[in-house]
Amino acid sequence: MTSTTARTTAPRITPAKALAFLRDYAVLILLAALLIVLAIASPSFFTFANLVNIVNQNTPLALIAVAGTFVIISGSFDLSTAAIYAVGSVAAAWVAMETGNVVLGLLAPPVIGLALGVFNGLAVTVLRVHSFLATLASSLIFQAIAVLITGGALIQVSLDGFSELGRGRIGGVFYTVVILIVFVAIMWFVLKGTVFGRHVFAVGGNPDAAQLSGVRVDRTRVMVFALSGLAAGMAAAIGVSRIASGQPQAGAGLEFDAIAAIILGGTSIYGGVGAVWRSVAGVFLIALIGNGFDILGFNPQIKDLVTGAIILAAVGLAAAGIKRR
Amino acid sequence: MTSTTARTTAPRITPAKALAFLRDYAVLILLAALLIVLAIASPSFFTFANLVNIVNQNTPLALIAVAGTFVIISGSFDLSTAAIYAVGSVAAAWVAMETGNVVLGLLAPPVIGLALGVFNGLAVTVLRVHSFLATLASSLIFQAIAVLITGGALIQVSLDGFSELGRGRIGGVFYTVVILIVFVAIMWFVLKGTVFGRHVFAVGGNPDAAQLSGVRVDRTRVMVFALSGLAAGMAAAIGVSRIASGQPQAGAGLEFDAIAAIILGGTSIYGGVGAVWRSVAGVFLIALIGNGFDILGFNPQIKDLVTGAIILAAVGLAAAGIKRR
Amino acid sequence: GDGGSAGAGSEDGYEIAVLLSSSQNGYNQAVAKGVQEMADELDADINLTLLDGQFNADTQLSQMETAGVGDKYDGVVVVPFDGPALAAAFPLGNGIPVTSVLNPIGPDLSEMEPQVEGVVSTVAVPAGEAAAKQAEDVVTYCADLDPCKVVLLVGQLNAPLDVTREESYREVLEAEDNIEIVTTVEGNYDPDQSATTITNVLQSTPDVNVILSNADQQTKGAQIALEDAGIDPSTVYLTGGGGTTESIQNVRDGIWKADYINFPVSMGAAAMEQLYNALTGADVESYVNADEVGEIEPYATKETLDETPDYVGEWEG
Amino acid sequence: MDTSTPLVELSGVSKRFGGTQALDTVDLELRTGEVHALVGENGAGKSTLGKIVAGLYAPDTGELRVDGEQVSKWDPVRAQRSGVVMIAQELSLVDDLTVLENVFLGVEANTLGVLHRRVAECFETLRALADFDLDASAKVGDLRIADQQKVEIMRALARDARVIVMDEPTSSLTAHETERLHRLIAQLREQGRSIVYVSHFLDAVLEVADTVTIMRDGQRVRTGPVANETKATMVQAMLGRELAVTFPERRPRADASTEPLLVVDGITTETGIEEASLVVRPGEIVGLLGLVGSGRSEIARAIAGADPITAGSITFRGEKCRRWTTRRAIASGLVMVPEDRHAQGLILQRSVRENISLAFLDRFATAGVIRPAAEKKEAGALAEALSMRPPRIGLDIGGLSGGNQQKALLAKWLVGDPAFVILDEPTRGVDIGAKATIYQLVADLADRGVGVLLISSEHEEVLALSSRAYTVSNGRIAGEVDPAVFGVSDLLAHLFSVEQEIGAIA
Ligand SMILES: Nc1ncnc2c1ncn2[C@@H]1O[C@H](COP(=O)(O)OP(=O)(O)OP(=O)(O)O)[C@@H](O)[C@H]1O
Ligand SMILES: Nc1ncnc2c1ncn2[C@@H]1O[C@H](COP(=O)(O)OP(=O)(O)OP(=O)(O)O)[C@@H](O)[C@H]1O
Ligand SMILES: [Mg+2]
Ligand SMILES: [Mg+2]
């Protein structure tokens, strides 16, 4: 008996603990591995300019993914972020050109995004329909609005300073990078440290229990969609400012890229579990694969293959940490 | 006291019952409404030729949606159907051209689809990862395979009879229509009348309970993905036969169209509830909108808007039937 | 151009990035092939790196920005997916020269002269002009028909380039009293989708005279729809754009009436050539008319093709 | 079969979950025609052991022999093939399937995979055997918990198993139904089957079991014939100390002139409550007595604001409750501990701490920002007071044993210092020691002037704790009774007569 009891007081780092670590931090481990491989493979990779570029390029996607984390944790989906991005892009360009006011133009997307996000939230809560279908429908509507605003054409913005937001720098670093860092920090705190964040987890984990605990489930849902819309609008403002023109296909595919990054990071599609840092890691894991291919000049036709394999590796790594039954 | 009791013995068709009917058959009601509107709006609509055309055009999507119903009911997602379709298309063209054998070429997609579906199923069950991410990853891999088979270009099929499957008719009706009807009938029966179908519901409704009851949950999942892959392959065979050329972008977007149709039909995204006829109704509801636009010559730019609005109407109608708690 | 200002590649060789809007697309593959052929032909040590824009404006913008920093590349050949969006990458940090194929880079889709600093040459043809040419031939065909029913089959009506094309079509066709534009439908550059939508249109307009499409894949779908509806496709004016081997054959066979030929291989070669000129300090043509790079007249009909019986087209799509 | 070979034999089985050693080298033998009870405190490892027998968990170390042969791969499917099935502690049914479909799930009668149409007779035979009143075509999700538990039992019976692990099968059943189940168990034993019976009701264990294995902290204390045990010896072995469960002294009835805390006046709801009226005064423990399905939980839900009322009124602390929702109820100090801890109570993916603080987060927050230290302190204190095991409030609550989850559920609602508490089945699945703690806690609440509305399928609890009680039948309050004068059997007779009366009116 004594010999077996000794096992219970085993050393601190057990294989079980190592596996649990693997499971929890699979995406970070892969991210680190990729960073190291790329740094060794190419001297152009680990330069300040390249790293800042990677972050800058992925700021719109990261913004959407960070806010989308709240949506997924709360047990919903937002498939309309790309459409909101499109509406935001054309609206920004249109407002800027109509008013000649750059600031007004760039403020339009976040404001519109917020409004459309609230619309989504109300559609989901009032119609009591799953957000997958509701936001799919609303994205069709938003997309059509974007087309109708422009007639499908492109609105060129020829105003000084319009590109400052997306392309300006402060001390060598893009504004966008600063915006992203601040946004991530705030959202991280909101999710982990506030009553609202707690409610998001509760609503996603068990909506009935949350309701019985006095959580305003519907209101929390609306707020989550509003946040997602706001982020999509911010992303649009940055994107439209960068290219100084608004067009209705802008942002196509962003919604799925964001969801993929969120889930790749390890946030549960079932709701109730997740973290902001995970989504950021997910975004940059995919971004690094793309950047690495470009820098190393590999055959782009196998990029998808490699990306798919790395995603499966990430989840396989995480799964290895889950003890069988 | 008696007055209140009288309420409970009300006539058979109560408002509650009407609402429940609304909820259960919302998609059929809308489908009927749309049929009537279109029949009134255009004499070209309600013709045998047009109706057969609509079915023919949507056979590939309907096949995928019908099999996808099993996937969704079992609580999973298959995002790789479009990629399987692409692989199937190029494989069919490649095999046909290499062997000069039309039948062999057209048999390739279902066989390959089945194999890729099994791969998906194993990825989901072995890696214990949510199918959303697993099939997203596998679809990247499959898509890359399709590109590598063709080098990104297109494989033209110049063999007699290759188009027979997709374009041939028997007594005025396309073969594809017959195939679809047979497939729907079989799948309907499999879902409702077989042990496998029962297990699909159980696995989606409560996998733990299913496991506890001795249902082979993982095997059921693998079979469901295999079925979905098979259907995507069949769809590819029809599609590639129709246009007599295989290309790696073939089928883009099919996966989401299928999921949208399934959910629009009323199958629950949470799993455990659904029906084959619902997905068929969902496919044709969306198809009718497109057909109507083309026949009436409406501005295609507002098609998305109308589609989105009709989807919201469908879910709103269904929601009206759900008693407010 | 200012020549090999970068020059960080090997002493006498050049590292060139080829930014495709998608590597999974026949047209882009053909451009890449032309670039490669020219690179091999030129008397220099040229190494090409293909990058895949995945039909995504942001991805390609990232790639252009990445190429624009550091000293990995000496020059870029790009097939812009979204020319206006791509302009944001300019001027590039390292100032290397860029040549653009198919679309211009910059806000104005019809301006072929370089619009941003760093683009040294554009090998293209304005979308609107090409479309107008197609439409003019339709007018000629319709001269004896009244009414002449025309269906416009364009790519995507939320894409600025396609919107421009549709506007050009309408501008030309609406000026003619005998021409009746039945409807505009989207073909999405996909034969299957085009077959579906044309099949539907044929239900209400079985007596269509012209199907005017901007892309061969769509025309192919329209042909399938006509055949399935029991209409001989050669009795309808069918035209497309692209100049694929299949469509050239269709025009030769009289099934299609015309095709606007693109020369992606030749265009890629021209872009490489101009880039090389820029790198070596030779004279650079800031605009190469893509209609003039091929061996034959771009607007092909059975008659024009009969003059060059050996021509088969430059790509499959 | 040779009775000397055990049907199932576990030797040296260990199982660890993260930081907790759930089982530590445990041996177990199950023999033909034996009812083998497992008893132990909450978290002792009973469910884990049962799940290993049924193939739901794979042991980390140790051996499993079936019919004397060692099995290497063991999962629910293989277990069922070998005739080993389990009724899980937490209900595990497919809500969207019917009773019949659930009962035969996994063992569907079929020909080449095609389902047989006529299976109603099989069901009927089974139903008659169990003597349960269940509608074969009802959707399981629409059933109340007690009926769902019956479905679980029938599902096990449908497998014609040789070994049935029953993990607290009676936690939702009333005395009457428990009795039926015990008769059924006796019948199964007669047929030579082996039953593992996990329960916190030691009297029941003494009544039905032949052998008992007593567990503590994941280890087996001893196995022996029940005949050698008494309640006291078992408690001693489980807890390592003596404990006689006594109910705290009954609270006196409040003075009728005291201002009532809660007045429920003729409420009717869509969930089936008709013109229910009741009054609770400060410091009173008021019981609701009724048979399963009488509507006690629905009355509780209506009072707590979880279901809207269509007629009548609720007055709390002298104020009419308008647009009454759970949120308003909680804000004004009226809380409900719901009966179904998984469906209605807990967020299983989250930590114990987050679950405990959820309903009263504002108490630990300033301007919407949570003060983690305050939260930890308070949650920790409550976990301590309810002797939760393990006492680490950072663990995911889903990993706790059933009884410990129940304690956390109580803690969740006590954290807010409520003025009125509705307790719906507050002791479901908790061990004997914890029950005593909870009884004391309820009494203490009342002593502080808190009003308590108590619902329990263990009528004994209600009778012993409440100062007053109402009988409930068919969604109506049938009358008021004095719990002091009733024994459990008298009460049942009374309730049945009430049921018939009301049935006659309606
Ligand atoms: N899935 C799990 N994850 C983590 N810990 C677990 C899990 N299942 C059980 N445990 C832990 O193992 C120990 C034993 O749990 P078990 O459920 O077997 O107890 P029990 O004896 O059935 O208790 P109860 O009487 O409360 O049901 C507990 O400390 C519990 O926290
Ligand atoms: N989901 C439901 N849908 C419809 N009716 C229900 C539902 N749940 C319960 N009922 C009905 O409400 C009444 C009361 O049910 P419930 O079982 O909750 O009462 P209870 O007295 O609290 O019983 P328990 O002892 O199980 O807690 C019953 O008549 C039952 O049929
Ligand atoms: Mg237990
Ligand atoms: Mg109850």
Side-chain angles (χ1 to χ4, degrees), chain D residues 141-146 172 174 271-273 290-298 339 424-425 428 455 457 472 474-475:
Chain D
D142 292 339
L143 298 181
R144 44 188 169 267
I145 292 191
S172 304
T174 52
T271 55
I273 301 305
L291 300 173
V292 166
S294 53
R296 296 165 300 173
S297 295
E298 277 64 24
E339 62 179 335
D424 196 353
E425 312 281 3
R428 168 179 292 163
I455 301 172
S457 309
V472 182
N474 267 327

Side-chain angles (χ1 to χ4, degrees), chain A residues 1 4 7-8 189 193-195 198-199 201-202 205-206 208-209 211-216 271-273 323 325, chain D residues 15-16 55-56 74 306 326-327 330 342-344 346-347 349-350 354 357 359 361 368-370 375 412-413:
Chain A
M1 255 276 164
T4 52
R7 224 194 42 240
T8 55
F189 175 75
T194 69
V195 172
R198 230 14 118 59
H199 286 181
F201 280 114
N206 186 343
D208 290 341
Q211 182 83 41
L212 282 176
S213 302
V215 174
R216 290 190 171 111
V273 186
K323 259 232 198 89
R325 293 179 291 128
Chain D
K15 180 77 182 174
R16 176 180 265 279
L56 284 155
W74 194 237
T326 41
R327 188 179 170 76
I330 292 165
H342 275 195
Q344 306 162 344
L346 302 172
I347 319 279
Q349 305 94 320
R350 306 309 301 173
E354 284 185 32
S357 64
L361 263 184
V369 176
I370 295 166
E375 188 193 18
K412 167 178 176 178
W413 290 107

